Amino acid sequence: MSDVIIIGAGLSGLRAADLLGDRHDIVLLEARDRVGGRALAHTFANGDTADLGGQWVGPGQDRLYALIERLGMTTYPLWDSGDRLILNREKLGRYTGTIPKLPPHVLLNVHLMMTRFDAMAAELDPASPWTHPKATEWDQQTVGQWMHKHAFTRQAFDIFAVGIGAVFTAEPHEISLLHALFYARAGTSLDNLLATTGGAQQDRVHGDMAGVAQRLAAGLGDRVRLNHPVERIAWGDDGVTVTAAGTRFSARRAILALPPTQAVRLRYDPVLPSRRAALWQRMPPGACIKCIAQYETPFWRENGLAGQAVGPDLEVRVTFDNSEAGKTAGLLLGFIEGDHARHWSGRDPDERKAAVLAAFARLFGDQALNPIDYVDQDWIAEEYTRGCYAALMGPGVWTSLGMELRQPVGPIHVAGTETATRYYGYFEGALQAAERAVEEVEAALAAG
């Protein structure tokens, strides 16, 4: 019998194993044939690589920076020099800063919405958002309903909706206002989560974020079992028995480091407490397809452009210059999110590629139609993820069930970024959640 079984080799599960491995007998079970979870890299024909999953790290994400340094890896800043673009009502314009150049009354409205949203978020305790005096009021409405009250023009509504889509990969009407405020508070502010330099999208990792996961796994050796999808977890006072790929593993404790919709798919004996099952069933992931076009050079820089663009009416509503520092090729990154992602998920890859490149060309010119390579990742179709970036909560979930989120189920402890109080939905949150789960497990083991 092991001390601890960890289920899920994303960054949270890997970090939990990393923390426990020197002191305890552990086994880490992963359904896929790779580690990393929502960290995934792609190698282009010319040998360059790029992250198809999560990729950024920014100020305040101290755990992730420290881990990157410990693993002998380095970071570099996202290209953020030059003008940004907005395509609004068929008119292409340049701007600087986070908020696009808009008519003064629209710009003022968007600014006031951002200011009000972040002021509300700042009032929350991210460890217990349901305790806020207005928690019920905020949890009974969607972000979309709040936006309709505070956006005085359609333009202001549409621009704010682009920001919501970029952060949550969902439509405003899908998300509880309380959840959105919590998410922003956990990541400092909505403004921080949208920002590049000085914000959550400031830096990238040489060797890719997937490389961070691979190096963690390398240090764990044969304690990592790939191609071991868990089918059943039997639990009781004497510990847990996990059945995976036809093999039974027993331990005194377990850490479940899976997204909620994956955790609830497993069979439990005895069955999950009803409130925990209800919570996980009500935490669907966002919808995202990440698209990267590779060009001989980052040609947009020659025109004084940063590669960052906003197109509220396009299939790809936000773009970034994703080129790696020190490489000659240029990478243009775009996200298909929310309803657009659900529309394109599972569609013909060539048709989807053509739609993405057409969107790039609307923003950066016809040169964008002719990349030397292209790749996209449909996270909705990924069997053991089924969406990105993170789980969301609709109206009423936080105030009725949210207090269950981090509670152990008998000897089963929970990790994963969806249990974080700091940078929920980010790899930083995954690391924080791992630390908390490990503390719980070690205390339980010490107590016998």
Side-chain angles (χ1 to χ4, degrees), residues 48-376:
D48 290 354
T49 63
D51 277 306
L52 286 178
Q55 66 175 44
W56 280 301
V57 55
Q61 299 182 39
D62 299 335
R63 292 175 178 85
L64 187 50
Y65 276 117
L67 179 61
I68 291 166
E69 182 178 3
R70 192 197 106 193
L71 294 173
M73 304 175 77
T74 58
T75 63
Y76 61 96
L78 175 84
W79 182 266
D80 198 21
S81 178
D83 292 339
R84 305 179 186 191
L85 297 175
I86 178 171
L87 181 66
N88 194 22
R89 298 182 178 179
E90 303 300 318
K91 185 177 181 181
L92 189 64
R94 292 182 177 228
Y95 70 99
T96 58
T98 303
I99 300 177
K101 185 177 181 180
L102 300 163
H105 68 288
V106 178
L107 186 63
L108 178 61
N109 192 180
V110 173
H111 174 72
L112 290 174
M113 290 174 72
M114 286 282 292
T115 301
R116 180 172 290 158
F117 187 97
D118 277 340
M120 293 162 62
E123 297 177 8
L124 291 176
D125 177 355
S128 55
W130 59 87
T131 62
H132 189 277
K134 293 186 177 180
T136 299
E137 175 188 339
W138 290 346
D139 205 28
Q140 287 176 345
Q141 60 184 300
T142 66
V143 174
Q145 290 171 321
W146 181 86
M147 288 166 59
H148 279 295
K149 293 177 185 176
H150 297 284
F152 303 132
T153 68
R154 186 68 204 185
Q155 276 186 293
F157 185 96
D158 289 346
I159 292 298
F160 202 87
V162 170
I164 294 298
V167 171
F168 299 98
T169 61
E171 303 301 322
H173 64 264
E174 299 179 87
I175 314 164
S176 154
L177 176 61
L178 180 63
H179 180 72
L181 294 171
F182 153 78
Y183 198 116
R185 177 68 181 88
T188 304
S189 67
L190 183 61
D191 182 63
N192 180 64
L193 297 182
L194 289 168
T196 48
T197 301
Q201 282 74 233
Q202 176 174 285
D203 292 324
R204 303 275 310 288
V205 182
H206 283 299
D208 310 306
M209 201 64 76
V212 174
Q214 291 160 5
R215 293 194 186 197
L216 273 175
L220 294 168
D222 60 8
R223 288 172 288 187
V224 180
R225 308 289 184 93
L226 301 179
N227 298 304
H228 274 70
V230 169
E231 302 143 14
R232 181 175 179 270
I233 303 176
W235 58 280
D237 293 339
D238 56 346
V240 295
T241 299
V242 176
T243 305
T247 303
R248 297 177 68 187
F249 301 85
S250 295
R252 297 166 64 193
R253 292 274 153 175
I255 295 177
L256 196 58
L258 301 177
T261 51
Q262 298 302 305
V264 79
R265 289 174 56 188
L266 307 180
R267 290 173 52 212
Y268 298 85
D269 182 17
V271 297
L272 282 173
S274 59
R275 286 176 58 82
R276 177 56 57 90
L279 173 64
W280 283 349
Q281 288 166 349
R282 288 163 174 79
M283 294 183 68
C288 177
I289 303 173
K290 187 174 183 179
C291 314
I292 305 175
Q294 184 188 47
Y295 302 90
E296 290 283 359
T297 63
F299 62 86
W300 49 91
R301 297 182 187 177
E302 300 170 6
N303 298 321
L305 297 174
Q308 296 173 45
V310 175
D313 298 323
L314 296 177
E315 297 299 311
V316 177
R317 295 192 292 183
V318 291
T319 71
F320 295 89
D321 181 333
N322 217 42
S323 311
E324 184 175 355
K327 300 292 179 70
T328 58
L331 300 181
L332 199 56
L333 162 66
F335 293 100
I336 307 176
E337 303 150 341
D339 285 343
H340 287 303
R342 286 183 280 267
H343 170 78
W344 284 105
S345 179
R347 297 279 291 273
D348 178 77
D350 290 335
E351 184 183 359
R352 189 166 66 210
K353 174 184 174 181
V356 171
L357 296 180
F360 286 171
R362 293 282 301 279
L363 297 164
F364 299 100
D366 288 347
Q367 197 169 351
L369 292 171
N370 300 297
I372 60 173
D373 210 341
Y374 174 87
V375 65
D376 62 31

Side-chain angles (χ1 to χ4, degrees), residues 17 20-22 24-29 219-225:
L20 287 166
D22 290 339
H24 299 283
D25 180 17
I26 66 165
V27 61
L28 173 54
L29 304 175
L220 294 168
D222 60 8
R223 288 172 288 187
V224 180
R225 308 289 184 93

Side-chain angles (χ1 to χ4, degrees), residues 356-410:
V356 171
L357 296 180
F360 286 171
R362 293 282 301 279
L363 297 164
F364 299 100
D366 288 347
Q367 197 169 351
L369 292 171
N370 300 297
I372 60 173
D373 210 341
Y374 174 87
V375 65
D376 62 31
Q377 173 67 18
D378 180 359
W379 282 101
I380 307 170
E382 178 81 6
E383 180 180 4
Y384 295 110
T385 309
R386 305 316 301 249
C388 269
Y389 312 130
L392 306 170
M393 296 193 198
V397 179
W398 262 118
T399 48
S400 62
L401 298 166
M403 54 291 299
E404 303 287 331
L405 187 60
R406 289 176 287 276
Q407 296 301 314
V409 178

